[in-house]
Amino acid sequence: VGIYFFKFANNFTFGGITGMAVLVARFTPLSASDFSFIANILLLIIGFIICLSSCGKDYVYRIEGELSNLEDQTVYAVFEKDNYKVVDTVVCTKPGQFQIDQNEAGFHCVTIFFADKEHWVTAYLEPGETVKITGDANSPLLLQVKGGRTNDKLTAFKKKIAPLLTELTNLSNSLNSKDLNDTIEETDIAARLANVNMQLSEEAIRYVKENPDEEVSVVLIQSFFSDPDDTRKIDELLALLNPRLKDFYLVKELEQYSARAKRTALGAEAPDFSVRNIYGNTVSLDSFPQKYLLLTFTAPWCDMCQTEDLYLDKVAMKYPKDQLDILLVSLDDNPDNVRDVLKKDSIAWNLVTDSAGQAAMLIDLYNVSVLPRCFLIDEDHKILMKTENGIEIKQTLENLFED
């Protein structure tokens, strides 16, 4: 079949190779038969090369890793495409070495989690392209990811700013260690860390402005400027990009991210909802007329989400319900257990659990990316404050009601 295909190209009797042979014979010393023979042999060789390169590949994407100092030899790969994820678990064949093949097409990126899921690195995928991840597992920011245009350019950018990334890694490790002598030392490290982050942001901005045609610029916008409380820098940098990137999946995700953030910006009208609390009563913003509402998102496994840590118990006791009410939204899917616990509490909490996905729906509606998260909503349903800090809640309410 292959010989027939190349010998009688496109099934034209006097077209394709044969037609070209006649023209070549007319204007060069080569005869038509000699040219046809040479051309067909070349096409046959090219065909075999193409077949051999495609044959034997039983994967669409391949990830190869070689990480030094990797103690936990299990890695997790999360492949992502539009509203769809596939998780793969792989055990290293040799210390720090792994290979992950994905046979399904259409994925944009893969995030590799390692070191007991405490560290991760993201690679951007191109069909048929092998991605290689190398480096020290203890320095995830400095890992080299190669294979594909976006990965190669991102790695080149990281190599350029490697001194800053090294300093960031060292400062972060120092801040998280238990060897700090006093508060002054901790404050000094935090200030230096903030300065390094500012320099990294400046480098990212410079790269985006100089490379508005590159997809890696969008990656840098996402990496350095994803702030759920302020998306102005995202909007500003997206406006600088070449319009041809508007269909790049990360551009669409960032536009949606910005829209969600604006939905709960300070001064915005709080998104309305209708859910049932653990007592079966319907709750919405209209359930709190002519009063302030402290909408608080928590979870049973979150150490900082306890009502006493957020001063919510003191707030509930201090301010009358006709002045301020509290609605707790908990990622606990068993309302019966919650009711049993609340029976022992002296405060009658108005609480919504995640039965029927209610809490998850509200978390998405209010663009909650960290727990705990508190929103202070005024009498006109405007958002006055959002925080995860109990002291800020206490001080804001004192300033509001006691001045």
Side-chain angles (χ1 to χ4, degrees), residues 277-312:
N277 63 17
I278 59 172
Y279 306 108
N281 301 321
T282 300
V283 181
S284 68
L285 286 180
D286 290 334
S287 303
F288 310 95
Q290 301 303 311
K291 65 173 72 174
Y292 287 81
L293 171 65
L294 193 59
L295 177 62
T296 303
F297 292 86
T298 70
W301 61 83
C302 171
D303 292 336
M304 296 302 296
C305 291
Q306 306 305 312
T307 55
E308 57 267 24
D309 291 321
L310 293 171
Y311 294 97
L312 296 184

Side-chain angles (χ1 to χ4, degrees), residues 114-292:
F114 54 94
D116 198 23
K117 301 179 186 176
E118 290 186 6
H119 299 321
W120 62 88
V121 61
T122 298
Y124 299 89
L125 301 174
E126 296 178 16
E129 193 76 49
T130 296
V131 175
K132 296 184 179 181
I133 303 172
T134 58
D136 187 344
N138 294 325
S139 302
L141 293 178
L142 295 167
L143 291 178
Q144 303 288 298
V145 182
K146 296 185 178 180
R149 182 180 179 87
T150 300
N151 293 323
D152 291 345
K153 286 189 169 293
L154 186 59
T155 294
F157 173 76
K158 289 170 64 177
K159 187 175 181 180
K160 179 183 175 183
I161 60 171
L164 286 173
L165 293 177
T166 301
E167 187 177 0
L168 179 66
T169 299
N170 294 337
L171 289 172
S172 298
N173 291 339
S174 298
L175 197 60
N176 293 329
S177 72
K178 298 180 180 179
D179 299 330
L180 295 177
N181 296 323
D182 51 37
T183 305
I184 296 177
E185 184 181 0
E186 183 176 345
T187 303
D188 177 63
I189 291 175
R192 290 163 59 193
L193 194 60
N195 182 56
V196 171
N197 277 317
M198 183 181 69
Q199 293 181 66
L200 287 169
S201 297
E202 290 172 350
E203 291 291 340
I205 291 172
R206 184 178 296 110
Y207 187 94
V208 172
K209 289 181 176 179
E210 292 175 355
N211 301 274
D213 299 333
E214 295 291 345
E215 292 179 354
V216 70
S217 293
V218 190
V219 174
L220 294 178
I221 295 172
Q222 182 196 46
S223 300
F224 287 95
F225 305 106
S226 291
D227 182 350
D229 294 331
D230 187 357
T231 62
R232 288 175 296 179
K233 184 57 70 174
I234 286 180
D235 297 335
E236 175 189 327
L237 293 175
L238 286 179
L240 300 177
L241 297 178
N242 190 309
R244 74 172 185 81
L245 290 175
K246 65 182 177 63
D247 292 327
F248 182 42
Y249 82 98
L250 266 186
V251 171
K252 295 180 179 179
E253 285 187 7
L254 286 171
E255 288 173 344
Q256 293 169 3
Y257 179 91
S258 178
R260 287 197 305 271
K262 289 181 177 66
R263 197 165 59 205
T264 53
L266 295 181
E269 185 168 345
D272 200 4
F273 51 84
S274 179
V275 293
R276 289 189 181 276
N277 63 17
I278 59 172
Y279 306 108
N281 301 321
T282 300
V283 181
S284 68
L285 286 180
D286 290 334
S287 303
F288 310 95
Q290 301 303 311
K291 65 173 72 174
Y292 287 81

